[in-house]
Amino acid sequence: MIFVEGLTKSYGEIHALRGMNFQVKQGEIVGLLGPNGAGKSTAIKCLTGYLHPDEGSVHVDGIDVLDSPIKAQKRIGYLPENTPLYPEMSVQAYLRMIAELRGVSDEVFVEKLSVAIIATGLGDRLTQPIGQLSKGLRQRVGLAQAILHKPRLLILDEPTIGLDPTQIVEIRNLIKDLSGDSTILFSSHILSEVEAVCDRVIILVNGEVKADSRLGDIAQTSDATLIVEHEVPNIESMLNHLDGVKKVKCQRMREGYYSCEIVGDTGVDLCPAIYDLAREEQWPLRELRRDVRTLETVFNELVAIN
C-alpha cells in the first residue's frame, strides 16, 4: 500500500529526511514514531503529496505520488495534527463540503455520510455547530471527513493529542474499528498509544528509519534471568560457557535468593540451554525467564544512540 524509497527533504540547512525507506502492506496498522524534529510530519506531507521531496520516490496503492498526486490523494484519508474545521458550520454541512471537494456524487453522498457517521458515532450531532462540540467530538468529525470517501489508506497525525483519557480510549477504539476497511499509518510520540493500536512500528530518528519491526518482535531479547534458592559454586562460570552467552552477572538478592542476569547474542533464546544445565547440575531453580523489552526501552535506546 505504501512504498517509500530514498526519501530526502531539507529546509535550507536543516535535513528533515535523510534517505528514508519503508513499506506498508495492505491491511496493516503501522505506528510512525520519533522524537520531536525526527521528520514524522515531513514524511507524512510527502506521502500525501502536500510536500515535494528533494529526492526519492513515494508510491501509494501502486500510484507514484510525485507524478500523479491527485490520483493518489483520492485513495488517501488524512487527519492532520490540527484538523481544519470550521466552527460556525454544522457537522453535516461541513461533511457535505468535504464530499464535494472529494468529488463524491450526490447519488452516493447519503450512503457514504451514513457510513462515516455511524463509524464515528456522530449521529446525534449532525445539526450541531462544530464550535459547540468537545475536543473529542471534533476529532471524530476530523476522522469522519478522512473516511468519508472510504479511502484505501488512512493517515493519522497525532490523532489523540490534547484529549482527556476517556476521549483517548474512544478514539483508539474507533481507529481499531476503521482498520477493517483501510490500511492505517498512525503517527504519534505517545508510545502507549502506538502499543495499544498498532501491529508494527517504524521508529524515525534524525530523518532516518532506525527500527522497523512488528511489536511482538521488537519486544524480544536474547537476555535471560535465572533465580536460584541460594548461591551455587561456579554458577557464573558455567553459564558463561554456554553457547550464545556474552556476559553473566550474578548477585545475592534481598530475599536471600541468588539472581543471574545473562546477556546473549542477538536472536538466541538462552532459556532451553540454561534449563538443561540447571537440571543437569541440580540447581535449586526458582525462576527462569526470557527478558522482554518495552517499546519505551527500545525507543529511548535508539534516541540516545543518535
Side-chain angles (χ1 to χ4, degrees):
M1 181 56 64
I2 300 176
F3 183 85
V4 173
E5 186 174 28
L7 202 62
T8 301
K9 180 65 180 178
S10 297
Y11 303 100
E13 296 182 356
I14 299 174
H15 300 287
L17 299 176
R18 305 168 185 260
M20 185 181 186
N21 300 289
F22 73 91
Q23 299 179 38
V24 176
K25 296 179 181 178
Q26 183 176 342
E28 284 189 300
I29 308 179
V30 177
L32 184 61
L33 277 175
N36 291 334
K40 301 188 301 295
S41 293
T42 298
I44 285 176
K45 289 174 182 177
C46 290
L47 275 172
T48 56
Y50 181 77
L51 276 181
H52 199 289
D54 300 331
E55 295 179 17
S57 61
V58 182
H59 289 80
V60 171
D61 200 17
I63 301 168
D64 189 322
V65 176
L66 305 183
D67 289 343
S68 307
I70 301 300
K71 188 177 179 181
Q73 287 165 354
K74 289 180 178 179
R75 287 162 167 78
I76 299 172
Y78 179 34
L79 178 65
E81 183 175 347
N82 298 301
T83 311
L85 301 174
Y86 298 89
E88 71 281 1
M89 298 182 74
S90 69
V91 173
Q92 183 169 337
Y94 172 74
L95 293 177
R96 162 69 76 175
M97 178 189 73
I98 295 297
E100 291 175 355
L101 291 172
R102 282 285 186 185
V104 176
S105 66
D106 291 339
E107 290 76 15
V108 298
F109 169 70
V110 173
E111 176 188 348
K112 290 186 179 294
L113 177 66
S114 297
V115 171
I117 290 299
I118 292 171
T120 53
L122 291 169
D124 58 346
R125 306 286 182 169
L126 285 176
T127 59
Q128 191 169 351
I130 293 173
Q132 294 179 7
L133 301 177
S134 68
K135 184 153 189 175
L137 286 171
R138 291 200 297 273
Q139 283 292 81
R140 287 177 174 269
V141 175
L143 278 168
Q145 67 80 24
I147 65 173
L148 187 60
H149 58 301
K150 200 173 181 180
R152 298 262 294 160
L153 172 64
L154 186 58
I155 298 177
L156 310 174
D157 192 2
E158 303 286 359
T160 61
I161 192 168
L163 302 184
D164 65 37
T166 300
Q167 293 168 338
I168 287 173
V169 172
E170 290 175 353
I171 296 298
R172 179 194 301 168
N173 292 335
L174 177 55
I175 291 169
K176 288 181 179 179
D177 291 340
L178 294 174
S179 66
D181 296 318
S182 303
T183 300
I184 297 177
L185 184 65
F186 180 99
S187 171
S188 179
H189 66 277
I190 304 174
L191 304 184
S192 60
E193 287 302 300
V194 174
E195 287 183 307
V197 173
C198 300
D199 307 314
R200 182 174 137 231
V201 63
I202 296 170
I203 300 178
L204 192 63
V205 182
N206 294 330
E208 297 179 294
V209 174
K210 295 299 182 180
D212 183 351
S213 178
R214 298 189 66 81
L215 282 172
D217 296 334
I218 209 169
Q220 293 295 329
T221 173
S222 299
D223 301 348
T225 297
L226 170 71
I227 300 177
V228 291
E229 296 283 349
H230 54 76
E231 186 173 353
V232 175
N234 300 319
I235 188 172
E236 194 167 315
S237 174
M238 285 186 280
L239 288 169
N240 264 312
H241 280 88
L242 290 175
D243 289 340
V245 172
K246 295 170 65 177
K247 184 173 66 174
V248 179
K249 180 182 179 182
C250 297
Q251 60 185 353
R252 186 178 301 280
M253 299 173 67
R254 192 175 297 175
E255 300 85 351
Y257 305 130
Y258 206 66
S259 172
C260 295
E261 297 177 0
I262 304 121
V263 178
D265 292 327
T266 303
V268 177
D269 183 0
L270 297 172
C271 287
I274 295 171
Y275 177 76
D276 289 342
L277 179 62
R279 187 173 61 174
E280 179 183 336
E281 298 293 330
Q282 297 185 333
W283 292 344
L285 183 64
R286 180 174 181 83
E287 183 179 347
L288 173 62
R289 65 175 184 269
R290 186 175 184 179
D291 294 341
V292 176
R293 296 189 302 172
T294 65
L295 179 58
E296 181 178 3
T297 301
V298 175
F299 180 85
N300 288 333
E301 287 175 356
L302 291 171
V303 171
I305 290 171
N306 294 276

